[in-house]
Amino acid sequence: MKYAGRLAAATIVGVLSLAACGTDDNTSTAGGTSSAAAAQGDDTLKGTINAAGSSAQANAIAEWKKNFQSSNPGVSINYNPSGSGAGVQAFIQGTVAFAGSDSALNDEKGEPAQADARCKTGKAINLPMVTGPVAVVYNLPGVDGLQLSPKTIAGIFNSKITKWDDPAIKADNPDAQLPSTPIQAFHRSDESGTSDNFTKFLKATADAGWPYEPAKAWPAEAQGQGAKGSDGIASSIKSTEGAISYVELSFAENSQLQKAKVANGAGEYVELTPESAGKTVEAAEIAGTGNDLKLKIDYATKAAGAYPIVLVTYEITCEKGLSAEDATLVKSFLTYTSSDEGQQALTGLGYAPLPSSLLTKVRTAVEAIS
């Protein structure tokens, strides 16, 4: 494989599941070539990368795995889409070479310190690699183009709004013919970075309508029905009339689910597209230091045409401290995933572009892995 230069706006994404699991030991074994050569294709690169985490990026990993292994036939990549929380814990415990997570390492939980301890001689770094817009999906035959404000979304998921013809939903949709169908609100039953980002959006935009702290685990007080994984959410919405949930855009499109327009901080109801989600990601600030590229997203963005519910999926690994074998393989694979070719391999799947300025920083951070 060959790649070059910088990507002006690379379309990237992750979703669906990949049936491959990591093992409990030997997170990777490699044999001898440079990372740059490996990313372009090198028959001498050999070994196994075991990784785990976000189900939101599993389809991206699947595409990258197929292409990378095609050019590097001596390499096997195992990715277990066990969820962001489980992936981070597996990385901290040292059973995987990198974790996929829809949230950066959590300071309040002490995850950065625990991950640094796992890396021993270096620091753990958050590397943005996949941008996944989060759709508010629903199943309401005859009601297309639904519009929802953050406060209304919070009321639905906090079990305060229970029927589709509730006055709050009518206020958002004055011209719609809304049925009195009971609302069936679904959330992720597993610890999920998608839930973390969705609840961050609610906390930032719904004021008192969402009294719970953002978290990967859904707050029990909010009630609702649980489904495991992004695929479980999509399946539940598809089969349940009156249902509503949140899921990555790729799942929504693959399952042909109805998607609501969501009001941003300016009160503009915005349709979810890769371009509208990209406007929110473009305004994100880097909250990490050095090669740690943890992002701070403004969920209350007032940018014109910006869709406000997005997540950025990270690859979490050691800047220094992996074994020599692990470092060679992880650096080679992430060099490919952050290349023009690696990101363009996912073009057309309905995901938001990663800004070129951020992508340049990701490539610099990957180059520092040793």
Side-chain angles (χ1 to χ4, degrees), residues 212-224:
Y212 317 110
E213 291 302 313
K216 293 176 182 176
W218 188 258
E221 300 88 344
Q223 303 179 26

Side-chain angles (χ1 to χ4, degrees), residues 9 15 20 38 67 104 116 132 139 151 165 176 205 209 212 216 253 255 267 275 309 312 341 359:
V15 201
N67 295 340
D116 288 349
N139 182 342
K151 288 185 179 180
D165 61 352
T205 59
Y212 317 110
K216 293 176 182 176
E253 293 190 335
S255 297
E275 293 74 23
I309 317 177
V312 174
E341 185 175 6
L359 185 59

Side-chain angles (χ1 to χ4, degrees), residues 2 8 31 37 39 77 131 151 189 208 214 230:
K2 295 182 179 179
I77 300 170
T131 302
K151 288 185 179 180
S189 60
S230 300

